Amino acid sequence: KAEGFTWIVGFWSGANGGHSDGAGPIDVGHTTDGWGVVGEVKKRCEKFPSSTPMTETLRVYGEFQRQKR
């Protein structure tokens, strides 16, 4: 479980560091912390058990980005 947390938070941090909206870096997930992000990914993984944690992390990231969360 700890390695899953570390991977998700590390991936998320790297994705944020690699994006900019022209005014500066994008801070997707600024409305929560690492545990909140991991909780959202966990819910998606439980809802879609045939998917992978990587795929669901990407989906949650995209949802947060679209919702400006």
Side-chain angles (χ1 to χ4, degrees), residues 5 13 17-19 29 38-40 44 47 52 63 68-69:
F5 175 88
S13 177
H19 290 95
V38 170
E40 290 296 317
R44 294 271 318 184
K47 187 174 181 178
T52 66
E63 288 173 9
K68 300 193 184 312
R69 292 175 55 193

Side-chain angles (χ1 to χ4, degrees), residues 4-29:
F5 175 88
T6 302
W7 186 89
I8 292 168
V9 172
F11 173 87
W12 200 281
S13 177
N16 272 341
H19 290 95
S20 174
D21 64 2
I26 293 175
D27 189 16
V28 175

Side-chain angles (χ1 to χ4, degrees), residues 40-51 56 63:
E40 290 296 317
V41 172
K42 183 177 178 191
K43 283 193 260 183
R44 294 271 318 184
C45 288
E46 289 169 353
K47 187 174 181 178
F48 303 100
S50 64
S51 188
E56 295 313 318
E63 288 173 9

